Amino acid sequence: MLLTEDQMDVLKELFNRGIGKSAEIISAMLDAPLSLSVPTLRLQSIHELGESFSSEDVIGIRQIFDGKYRGDAMVLYGRTSCLEVISALLGYEETPDDFGDLERETLSEFGNIILSSCLFEFEEALGCHLPTLAPAIVHGDFPDCFISKEHGNHLMTLTMEFSVSGSASTGHITLLLDPDDIADMASKMDAYLERLMA
Amino acid sequence: MKVLTIDDSRIALIQIEKIVREASSQDTIVIKTQDPEEGVRLALENKDDLSFILVDLNMDKLSGLDVIDKIIPEISPERIALLTANTQNSTKDEAMKRGVHFLSKESLKDGLKDILSGLLKVE
């Protein structure tokens, strides 16, 4: 791993806080409690990343951040979970079979709330700007259709799983970062730690 | 005053210790652990000396609620707080059900100040 224990801890804790903050809004939107896993941080090959998501049909909301640091922030679901989440968000009595414009917009907004909260936490703590492109719905082979082509063979992945109480709906919130960028961000993490300990 | 803090993040523990001292006094003894199982042991072993216990919600092995359920038969819920960044109502309800304090990581300083100043008056 490229980072020290403390630097890894910073990344996981900031991720946890960002997602935790969005949980209040998301839970209100879904009208159901949301369970969140403990965050994990891994250096993975693209192949390993593909194996980490077992669903056969992956749908995601992806926001590319593209400034000094480049990466992908995404909320990923299996198709069934995704349709159930949309149904809960829009108050449908029956789960739809497919997506229309309203469903896509709702899903984008849902992802945007989670991902913006997460990225904002990093920006505030580390003093870096992570400008994002508009959220996009992505559907297709995972991970090939979901990651920026500029990434190398290995990626740093920060992931939390969520599940919606009272349903089988689960999803993954994932940040994919380039290892070179992470190495560059390490000094910002150290500066953050120094501020904490001062 | 002796305070136990249980959080799987070392960074969070450093922050919490700083805030506990600011909210009480620099003489406050802060016991820290990243291991929730050790947290349960420390809480029970020191139950008569501890003024307050802060437990993070989202941890491996045992969640904060699991920790609280293990120590609450021995320790008054007024001396325990569930600490989290996850401020959804269902989490607050879980804390309320157990009669423990709920503290958001974002506004920890203010929330903790109120609680600890109340405890200092009693002590």
Side-chain angles (χ1 to χ4, degrees):
Chain A
M1 195 56 93
L2 305 160
L3 302 171
T4 64
E5 286 286 329
D6 278 351
Q7 289 163 346
M8 288 193 276
D9 194 23
V10 167
L11 284 181
K12 286 194 281 187
E13 182 63 8
L14 294 176
F15 191 54
N16 183 45
R17 290 184 193 185
I19 305 298
K21 281 180 195 169
S22 70
E24 185 177 3
I25 304 166
I26 295 301
S27 161
M29 285 170 80
L30 291 166
D31 197 20
L34 208 64
S35 295
L36 298 169
S37 75
V38 172
T40 58
L41 177 67
R42 292 194 184 98
L43 181 65
Q44 291 181 299
S45 68
I46 304 283
H47 176 69
E48 286 166 333
L49 179 64
E51 287 182 338
S52 68
F53 203 84
S54 57
S55 175
E56 73 295 347
D57 195 3
V58 182
I59 296 168
I61 306 124
R62 173 187 171 206
Q63 270 194 291
I64 297 172
F65 48 96
D66 189 12
K68 184 178 180 199
Y69 304 118
R70 308 174 94 184
D72 299 293
M74 51 188 110
V75 184
L76 301 165
Y77 316 85
R79 185 180 175 84
T80 309
S81 286
C82 185
L83 288 166
E84 281 176 4
V85 166
I86 286 176
S87 189
L89 288 170
L90 291 170
Y92 292 159
E93 287 183 6
E94 284 184 26
T95 304
D97 296 328
D98 213 340
F99 307 92
D101 287 345
L102 177 63
E103 287 80 10
R104 283 174 178 276
E105 277 173 33
T106 306
L107 201 57
S108 285
E109 184 55 26
F110 181 77
N112 186 238
I113 290 167
I114 298 173
L115 300 174
S116 300
S117 172
C118 166
L119 293 173
F120 179 73
E121 199 69 24
F122 282 95
E123 289 182 323
E124 286 284 292
L126 303 182
C128 55
H129 185 39
L130 301 171
T132 54
L133 306 185
I137 308 279
V138 186
H139 182 200
D141 291 337
F142 184 83
D144 299 348
C145 299
F146 289 77
I147 55 175
S148 303
K149 298 296 174 204
E150 299 86 29
H151 287 307
N153 282 331
H154 282 78
L155 293 164
M156 191 73 92
T157 63
L158 257 172
T159 301
M160 276 175 90
E161 289 170 35
F162 68 89
S163 56
V164 182
S165 177
S167 84
S169 306
T170 59
H172 293 228
I173 303 156
T174 300
L175 274 192
L176 302 180
L177 295 147
D178 198 294
D180 291 342
D181 283 345
I182 284 284
D184 194 66
M185 282 167 91
S187 61
K188 294 185 187 299
M189 292 175 220
D190 289 339
Y192 174 67
L193 279 166
E194 274 173 31
R195 286 198 301 278
L196 285 188
M197 299 200 196
Chain B
M1 178 180 265
K2 197 186 259 187
V3 175
L4 171 65
T5 60
I6 308 167
D7 195 313
D8 60 352
S9 163
R10 197 175 92 85
I11 307 313
L13 285 175
I14 293 168
Q15 276 185 309
I16 296 164
E17 178 175 13
K18 206 171 153 187
I19 292 171
V20 166
R21 290 190 197 286
E22 282 171 10
S24 54
S25 92
Q26 290 302 316
D27 299 333
T28 298
I29 298 164
V30 183
I31 306 171
K32 299 174 285 185
T33 179
Q34 288 178 254
D35 180 344
E37 286 172 349
E38 190 189 33
V40 171
R41 185 181 61 74
L42 288 168
L44 296 176
E45 276 177 13
N46 295 279
K47 63 180 180 182
D48 297 328
D49 299 333
L50 287 170
S51 304
F52 204 61
I53 302 169
L54 288 145
V55 189
D56 180 37
L57 173 67
N58 200 6
M59 296 184 286
D60 258 338
K61 292 205 273 189
L62 288 178
S63 77
L65 292 172
D66 294 333
V67 170
I68 288 169
D69 288 342
K70 283 179 186 290
I71 64 175
I72 218 168
E74 304 281 333
I75 299 167
S76 160
E78 287 167 11
R79 291 196 283 140
I80 304 171
L82 179 68
L83 177 64
T84 179
N86 179 345
T87 52
Q88 55 182 314
N89 285 335
S90 58
T91 316
K92 291 176 191 164
D93 291 345
E94 291 294 336
M96 208 186 289
K97 235 193 280 177
R98 290 162 174 83
V100 301
H101 300 275
F102 177 88
L103 288 173
S104 148
K105 281 191 173 176
E106 194 160 37
S107 53
L108 178 60
K109 198 171 181 174
D110 292 339
L112 197 57
K113 228 175 197 167
D114 289 345
I115 296 169
L116 293 185
S117 61
L119 283 171
L120 280 169
K121 274 180 205 159
V122 173
E123 287 184 357

